[in-house]
Amino acid sequence: MTDLVHDLRAALGESAVLTDPADMAAYVTDWTGVFTGTALAVVRPASTAEVATVVRLCAAAGVAVVPQGGNTGLVGGGVPDSGGDQVVLSLSRMRRIREVDPVADTLIVEAGAPLATVQEAAAAAGRLFPLSLGSEGSCTIGGTIATNAGGTAVLRYGMMRELVLGLEVVLPDGRVWDGLRPLRKDNTGYDLKQLFIGSEGTLGVVTAGVLRLLPATPRRATAFVALESVSAATALLPLLREHGGGQLTTWELLGRQALDLVLAHLPGVRDPFAGQHEWYGLVELAGTSADVDERLESALEAAASQGLLVDAVVAGSPAQRESLWALREGVSEAQKSEGATLKHDVTLPITALSRFVAEAGPALLAALPGLRLVTYGHIGDGNLHYNLSAPVGDDAALRREAPRLTRMIYDAVTALGGSISAEHGIGALKRDAAAAYKTGVEVDLLRAVKQAIDPRGLMNPGKMLA
Ligand code: FAD
Ligand code: MLT
Ligand code: ZN
């Protein structure tokens, strides 16, 4: 093992290979603080060739590699296990935008570039890169590809999978697959890039990607609305779509408990309404003209006349828009500050969301009185973050009951035709559950792909697949 560290240092230079526990600390614990491991070393290559060298040296030594981007993942996928014999391969030094092509409408970027950097580069070229997440200042393009990230604009633009045209990947044996093509059409057999998108570091290291750019949408119309029920939120969707005329970008949901946590923990935020409501929504239309304001207004009027809205606040300035967005984007951080959290990133057919919430909530509260249901998410995509916070002052109770509560939620989701992960992925958190809730045929196919590409099981072992 010390030979491997020696070889890595010889190949990459001393400063690119960290072995001091203090230097490695930020790389071995995840954002949630739930997953902590130890590593043989953290390596920080600066080029695709260096990534290939690292992977080749690790493969020769039989040492597993854990790819890591911004370490904002929420399922423990990007940190090593506790064995101390894995190498964390951080892409943090590979953040170059290699090319912006206004004719092809594409951008080529290295995997370690933060998502926000790509959004800014697209904007500087008068275009839009639409993926949008609360973690966009820290999460990387490689991480969003590896997790097939979603976020708050999926309703209009789709998930990361739909925004990637080509990839460059270092395979588990150190070979480089150069699939960095900007082609919109390429019907030459299996779509290999799609195998790596959402593979959570288990098939190879993504080193760069070709991303699609879209027309910029400088005009935004945003409202925060109060709702009586989840069924009102889902009933509103077709109406928002109809009035939005293709410009509907965001339709998000927040339960009262979620808003309460944001108000309690985030400085400078305030409740936009005088009274309290059960549910809230954040809607945004984006386009190029004032049309978006008129469309939002007509959607809200139609919703009110059909009894689907209790109240609404429309952002009258960019500052007001930011303050409404802060209420939604602040939930993860606020819930983290509140104590023990159990995350469930579930998705259901949109028409089943209301029934799921109505049935799961009372059953969970009966199982653990005092439990706090922090429900929010991308309702326009059928994606709920059905997160639980411990009863006040009793984190131990949530930890003790966690397996049972999670099983109740996953059983209910599955019975209604949903899935146990909408956008965060499987990682370490849901590895065993994924095997249990997928069909035998699906598990066989996933294992066959893993076996074909990583037969020695050296890429991010213990994640995604049991
Ligand atoms: P990491 O956390 O470093 O890694 C995640 C996984 O990808 C790991 O399995 C890792 O091994 C693998 N990986 C990373 N880089 C590479 C690479 N170059 N090659 C191969 N494998 C790699 N996610 C959403 O989908 N939607 C949201 O709305 C959303 N909101 C969030 C809000 C907050 C406040 C936070 C903290 C997280 C949120 N996330 C969300 C989760 C997270 O930001 C995404 O999963 C993101 O894509 C992770 O990117 P990362 O660079 O931090 O990856
Ligand atoms: C979000 O949409 O805010 C995150 O994906 C949810 C979470 O942190 O659980
Ligand atoms: Zn989310």
Side-chain angles (χ1 to χ4, degrees), residues 5-260:
V5 171
H6 172 272
D7 292 348
L8 289 167
R9 288 206 163 112
L12 269 63
E14 288 284 320
S15 63
V17 183
L18 314 177
T19 51
D20 184 323
D23 294 337
M24 294 196 291
Y27 299 88
V28 297
T29 297
D30 78 330
W31 185 87
T32 65
V34 171
F35 293 92
T36 302
T38 49
L40 177 67
V42 173
V43 289
R44 301 178 65 232
S47 66
T48 302
E50 286 192 358
V51 172
T53 301
V54 171
V55 172
R56 224 176 7 251
L57 289 172
C58 289
V63 168
V65 171
V66 181
Q68 190 181 94
N71 200 11
T72 67
L74 297 173
V75 291
V79 290
D81 66 20
S82 54
D85 54 0
Q86 301 180 338
V87 165
V88 174
L89 192 162
S90 165
L91 280 299
S92 52
R93 288 173 68 207
M94 291 184 59
R95 41 176 69 213
R96 207 162 50 88
I97 293 181
R98 293 188 189 164
E99 181 186 299
V100 180
D101 183 336
V103 177
D105 228 1
T106 54
L107 181 152
I108 303 181
V109 60
E110 293 181 348
L115 171 55
T117 307
V118 169
Q119 294 167 338
E120 284 156 18
R127 308 299 290 165
L128 173 76
F129 185 67
L131 196 79
S132 186
L133 318 180
S135 55
E136 62 202 21
S138 319
C139 72
T140 62
I141 287 301
T144 56
I145 290 171
T147 58
N148 183 28
T152 52
V154 170
L155 183 59
R156 179 162 176 184
Y157 298 106
M159 295 179 69
M160 191 58 170
R161 191 178 290 292
E162 279 140 283
L163 300 170
V164 176
L165 291 173
L167 285 185
E168 179 184 83
V169 181
V170 173
L171 300 174
D173 59 7
R175 283 181 300 160
V176 178
W177 172 50
D178 181 0
L180 218 48
R181 290 184 283 268
L183 304 177
R184 309 263 163 175
K185 302 173 97 174
D186 181 9
N187 249 345
T188 51
Y190 304 128
D191 190 346
L192 294 176
K193 69 176 176 298
Q194 293 298 349
L195 277 182
F196 294 97
I197 302 172
S199 66
E200 301 185 31
T202 64
L203 298 180
V205 184
V206 175
T207 47
V210 187
L211 308 180
R212 289 172 56 205
L213 297 179
L214 288 116
T217 53
R219 295 295 292 252
R220 294 157 70 189
T222 313
F224 200 78
V225 301
L227 306 162
E228 244 164 31
S229 62
V230 175
S231 62
T234 54
L236 256 162
L237 180 59
L239 209 147
L240 294 173
R241 245 193 248 120
E242 183 195 327
H243 288 261
Q247 302 187 83
L248 174 65
T249 305
T250 296
W251 180 220
E252 298 281 312
L253 180 80
L254 277 99
R256 180 70 212 182
Q257 297 251 26
L259 184 63
D260 277 341

